[in-house]
Amino acid sequence: MAQEIERKFLVTDKSFINMAFASHRIRQTYLSDNPDATVRLRIKDSDAFITVKGRNHGASRLEWEYPIPATEAEEMAVNLVGGFSIDKTRYLVDFEGWIWEIDIFHGRHDGLILAEVEMPEASCRPPLPPFVGTEVTGDPRYYNSVLSRS
C-alpha cells in the first residue's frame, strides 16, 4: 500500500517556468470523486494511468497507481464520464533538493496555478520557493477531483 504525503500552495508568479527541468501536458478525469475512494484517469503526454486514492488525512492519503493503455483511458473517459475534465501543464522544479510540481490549468480553470511538494513524512517542512503563496493543503476547493466537476 502506497501513501501520498504532500503540501499544496497557490502560486504567486510564473518565475518557476525558468527554473523547470521538465514539463508535461496532463489531461485527467474522475470515474469516482467519492472522497473515500477517488478513482482518476490521467493521460500524461502519451502515457496513461488509473489511480485510486483514499480520503485525505491532513497532508497524507493512501494511493495506488497503475499504467493502462492510453486508448483505453480515452475510451473510459469518453464513454463513462463524457471526456477529460481537467487540462493542465505540469512543470517540475528542483528547489533546494525538493521536487516541486507546478500545475498551470487550462480551459475552464485558466489562470489557476498550484504547486505541490511530496514528502516522505507529514512532519517534513521543505523550504518554500519564492513563487509559492498561500498554503491550501487540505482545502477541498483545490482538490483536482473537486475542480473536475466545478
Side-chain angles (χ1 to χ4, degrees), residues 25-26 86-89 104-112:
R25 190 63 178 249
I26 295 173
I86 291 185
D87 183 16
K88 59 189 179 181
T89 301
I104 296 180
F105 288 79
H106 310 293
R108 64 183 176 180
H109 300 296
D110 194 43
L112 178 62

Side-chain angles (χ1 to χ4, degrees), residues 8 35 56 136-147 149:
K8 187 181 287 195
N56 284 56
V136 294
T137 302
D139 185 337
R141 294 176 298 168
Y142 297 102
Y143 295 169
N144 279 287
S145 59
V146 171
L147 290 172
R149 61 179 192 254

Side-chain angles (χ1 to χ4, degrees), residues 73-91:
E74 292 274 3
E75 289 172 7
M76 283 188 266
V78 169
N79 291 304
L80 299 178
V81 292
F84 290 94
S85 53
I86 291 185
D87 183 16
K88 59 189 179 181
T89 301
R90 172 164 290 169
Y91 294 86

Side-chain angles (χ1 to χ4, degrees), residues 95-130:
F95 184 77
E96 297 187 19
W98 293 85
I99 304 301
W100 287 78
E101 298 176 341
I102 302 95
D103 293 337
I104 296 180
F105 288 79
H106 310 293
R108 64 183 176 180
H109 300 296
D110 194 43
L112 178 62
I113 306 174
L114 294 172
E116 298 177 349
V117 61
E118 289 199 17
M119 306 170 302
E121 54 189 51
S123 62
C124 289
R125 293 290 174 240
L128 302 182

Side-chain angles (χ1 to χ4, degrees), residues 12-120:
T12 59
D13 64 66
K14 293 185 179 177
S15 62
F16 63 87
I17 291 176
N18 294 328
M19 303 167 69
F21 64 84
S23 67
H24 303 282
R25 190 63 178 249
I26 295 173
R27 292 181 301 140
Q28 62 190 47
T29 194
Y30 291 82
L31 302 180
S32 169
D33 61 4
N34 176 335
D36 292 318
T38 303
V39 181
R40 177 185 72 203
L41 286 175
R42 172 181 281 173
I43 296 180
K44 181 173 122 182
D45 298 328
S46 60
D47 298 320
F49 305 88
I50 190 164
T51 306
V52 180
K53 296 185 178 193
R55 182 177 288 276
N56 284 56
H57 297 283
S60 68
R61 68 194 298 190
L62 299 176
E63 176 182 65
W64 298 266
E65 184 168 81
Y66 307 97
I68 62 172
T71 54
E72 290 183 17
E74 292 274 3
E75 289 172 7
M76 283 188 266
V78 169
N79 291 304
L80 299 178
V81 292
F84 290 94
S85 53
I86 291 185
D87 183 16
K88 59 189 179 181
T89 301
R90 172 164 290 169
Y91 294 86
L92 302 177
V93 172
D94 182 334
F95 184 77
E96 297 187 19
W98 293 85
I99 304 301
W100 287 78
E101 298 176 341
I102 302 95
D103 293 337
I104 296 180
F105 288 79
H106 310 293
R108 64 183 176 180
H109 300 296
D110 194 43
L112 178 62
I113 306 174
L114 294 172
E116 298 177 349
V117 61
E118 289 199 17
M119 306 170 302

